[in-house]
Amino acid sequence: MAGSISLVEGGTVTTPQGFRAGATFAGLKTYAEDKLDLGIIFSEVPCTAAGVFTSSAIISPSVTVCRENIAKGPIRGLIVNAGIANACVGDQGYLDAQRGVSLASKHLGVQAEEVLICSTGVIGVELPMSLIETGIGNIQLSDDGGHDLARAMMTTDTRPKEIAVSFEIDGKQVQMGGVTKGSGMIHPNMATMLAFVTTDAAVDPGFLQSTVSEVADISFNMMTVDGDSSTNDSFIVMANGMTGNQPINGGSPGAEAFKEALTEVSVHLAREMARDGEGATRLIVVEVEGARDTADARKAARTVASSNLVKSAVYGADPNWGRLMMALGRSGAEADETKVDLYINGVCIMQEGKPIPFHRDAVVALMRGPEVTFGLHLNLGAGQATAWGCDLTEQYVIINSAYTT
């Protein structure tokens, strides 16, 4: 972790003061031992909340209710279900989302508008509200319940994804924790992902929203698995202020530290989603430097990371660098072939547009590791960006050919 930010071992969304969570199996997913599919995060005191949501024109009513309740003011809790997306089900979807927050609010002893709802799973299926009502009543909140919540969010994920960090604001120790789910239908802007971050820092609402949007652009919006994004994508941050610091705003001494911590948490979660892409065996990291500007760097990095030909080459540990140049060329970023330097896991493959002799077997061996990093130095300006993806395997097709059957 950079600077004074330290990793909290075994941390999760309940690491910050005042947050509890819990989960249960309600029957929304096919039963298996130890499976969970419904969870709640709760804060002892009201939270400032902010979010970034799907850019799809087809939106789950769960997202609509989240947006509405965040706009109304302080938030106390969040309910999340996996297995069913609550999308493309007509007016019933909105009624069910409202009913979900109402049931959760009664369980928590707060107002309905103080609760958010997030859903993930199969599109075109109504939420079974009788199962959800029973399930909510079975959820017991605890100080370490974030671990169960992370499991309850999973769909095709192979493992939960969690992190917590600690840092200093106003001489006080602040904690921030995050969980996410996402394995397929992942692509900017945003992805089939739910990401929840909690912190015990006090944060000004306007600063929190602008920071969440900015951080999303350099983390979750730089991640791709398969080129598709969804109806339910939500990145939500809740800040309850229990540390007792002065509320952080754009002019606060702690503003940069807070942004850096949120970036650390979000980038970690984004990387873990790409690493756990459906059927994936390797994480792809694309580092672009020297682009004309940041926008061009992001275009180039995202295009290379999302190229099916690049992803297939990584799966086969094939150093077919021509595919990288192809993707760069079609990215929309300004590029001059005579100025491009290209690296595979630190080995220079091209310099100033000219191929460099390299030991093929050595590069193949490097590409068989758990991470493959492509470095593209465009040498046109100061723009830089990093994108994350994964290889494309037969298993991806198998998973998605039988998703509902």
Side-chain angles (χ1 to χ4, degrees):
M1 294 297 175
S4 60
I5 301 171
S6 58
L7 182 70
V8 178
E9 290 294 334
T12 183
V13 286
T14 50
T15 298
Q17 298 178 64
F19 286 97
R20 291 180 290 149
T24 190
F25 178 74
L28 283 72
K29 296 192 292 188
T30 304
Y31 175 78
E33 189 175 356
D34 296 328
K35 184 177 284 189
L36 302 169
D37 57 16
L38 186 68
I40 288 176
I41 303 173
F42 179 65
S43 173
E44 295 175 8
V45 297
C47 298
T48 298
V52 176
F53 301 94
T54 180
S55 58
S56 173
I58 310 298
I59 301 171
S60 166
S62 295
V63 171
T64 302
V65 170
C66 268
R67 284 175 165 155
E68 291 174 349
N69 285 359
I70 286 176
K72 290 175 184 176
I75 296 300
R76 294 290 302 277
L78 182 153
I79 180 172
V80 57
N81 74 269
I84 297 173
N86 189 34
C88 299
V89 291
D91 294 341
Q92 190 62 44
Y94 185 75
L95 296 174
D96 288 343
Q98 288 183 312
R99 174 116 174 100
V101 299
S102 176
L103 291 169
S105 69
K106 290 177 182 177
H107 183 64
L108 299 172
V110 299
Q111 299 299 309
E113 59 266 25
E114 295 180 299
V115 178
L116 307 179
I117 182 168
C118 292
S119 304
T120 184
V122 178
I123 293 171
V125 178
E126 292 183 8
L127 290 173
M129 295 311 298
S130 60
L131 294 179
I132 288 176
E133 181 172 9
T134 301
I136 288 173
N138 292 332
I139 294 176
Q140 296 183 0
L141 304 177
S142 67
D143 293 339
D144 63 354
H147 300 302
D148 283 345
L149 179 95
R151 290 171 50 219
M153 297 163 61
M154 294 165 49
T155 48
T156 56
D157 306 63
T158 65
R159 56 185 177 272
K161 303 163 182 71
E162 308 169 79
I163 185 176
V165 299
S166 179
F167 57 104
E168 192 173 290
I169 298 282
D170 291 345
K172 301 177 184 295
Q173 206 63 26
V174 173
Q175 297 186 101
M176 180 182 291
V179 296
T180 193
K181 64 81 52 182
S183 187
M185 210 184 288
I186 300 286
H187 191 68
N189 289 305
M190 291 161 48
T192 302
M193 52 158 282
L194 301 177
F196 310 135
V197 174
T198 60
T199 179
D200 46 25
V203 188
D204 171 79
F207 173 75
L208 184 61
Q209 182 59 62
S210 63
T211 303
V212 169
S213 298
E214 189 175 345
V215 168
D217 279 343
I218 58 177
S219 57
F220 300 117
N221 283 339
M222 294 300 293
M223 167 193 57
T224 181
V225 168
D226 52 15
D228 285 309
S229 53
S230 183
T231 56
N232 293 57
D233 315 328
S234 303
F235 169 34
I236 296 168
V237 180
M238 300 168 61
N240 69 11
M242 288 190 68
T243 294
N245 61 292
Q246 289 296 313
I248 303 166
N249 58 41
S252 299
E256 281 304 311
F258 180 84
K259 179 183 173 183
E260 184 181 357
L262 185 58
T263 300
E264 292 276 9
V265 167
S266 301
V267 166
H268 172 85
L269 295 175
R271 282 175 56 93
E272 289 307 297
M273 277 192 282
R275 192 189 302 276
D276 193 31
E278 289 175 339
T281 64
R282 296 180 181 92
L283 174 69
I284 297 174
V285 182
V286 181
E287 299 174 341
V288 174
E289 298 180 7
R292 181 66 69 193
D293 54 29
T294 300
D296 265 14
R298 290 176 179 174
K299 286 178 187 176
R302 284 195 299 246
T303 303
V304 172
S306 64
S307 165
N308 282 340
L309 289 177
V310 171
K311 291 156 63 68
S312 298
V314 171
Y315 176 49
D318 179 8
N320 186 352
W321 56 267
R323 293 181 175 180
L324 304 174
M325 295 299 291
M326 171 279 299
L328 171 62
R330 71 173 176 82
S331 69
E334 183 178 343
D336 180 343
E337 179 184 337
T338 66
K339 296 183 178 181
V340 176
D341 302 333
L342 191 155
Y343 298 81
I344 299 178
N345 278 6
V347 178
C348 187
I349 304 296
M350 168 184 280
Q351 191 168 38
E352 296 181 345
K354 298 177 182 179
I356 300 294
F358 63 93
H359 193 286
R360 183 181 178 86
D361 289 346
V363 175
V364 168
L366 288 172
M367 291 183 68
R368 285 180 174 148
E371 294 187 18
V372 176
T373 299
F374 297 123
L376 289 97
H377 300 185
L378 307 189
N379 297 306
L380 295 173
Q384 58 183 358
T386 302
W388 303 275
C390 62
D391 56 346
L392 181 62
T393 73
E394 299 95 330
Q395 193 62 28
Y396 175 85
V397 177
I398 292 170
I399 290 169
N400 285 285
S401 66
Y403 188 76
T404 66
T405 57

